[in-house]
Amino acid sequence: MPHVDPARLVELALGNDAAHDDVSALQHVAACGPCREELHLMTRVVLAARGVEEADLPTAPPARVWQRIAQGLSEEAAEPTTPPPDGGGSPPSPTPAARDHTRGRSPARDAMALALGLVAGAAVVRYWRRRNR
């Protein structure tokens, strides 16, 4: 007998109306360890999602975070490049901040990554605290 379709397992986890094929699906889940575990995990996700309250939702970072990001972006845009020493045809050498930007890094990007990491970390901590009550 083939495994229960994941979409069907989701329907079972959600507790939607029982259909004719639920009997065979439930019989398979009872006999199949992987399907039983998958249904168990999906049911846990459904219960956790239904238990989310407004206080669990992530909040926007403080205004100072966005101000610092905007400041970093404006500083980066305002930094001039160093003129060539020979006054000739070689292109200007970028400033250290511009060199970091060409490698995919900038102070603003680092600040954004830090802010997103903090928000994600706070959400994980809040989830684990609620789960372990």
Side-chain angles (χ1 to χ4, degrees), residues 38-85:
E38 188 70 21
L39 179 60
H40 174 71
L41 292 174
M42 286 182 188
T43 303
R44 288 181 57 198
V45 169
V46 167
L47 291 174
R50 287 181 176 162
V52 171
E53 297 174 2
E54 187 174 345
D56 298 326
L57 299 174
T59 59
R64 62 183 163 72
V65 172
W66 295 116
Q67 290 168 352
R68 178 67 181 119
I69 291 170
Q71 178 186 3
L73 289 172
S74 64
E75 287 173 359
E76 186 176 296
E79 289 179 357
T81 58
T82 309

Side-chain angles (χ1 to χ4, degrees), residues 111-129:
M112 179 65 81
L114 177 63
L116 290 174
L118 289 172
V119 169
V124 168
V125 168
R126 179 171 260 169
Y127 168 78
W128 283 106
R129 281 187 179 166

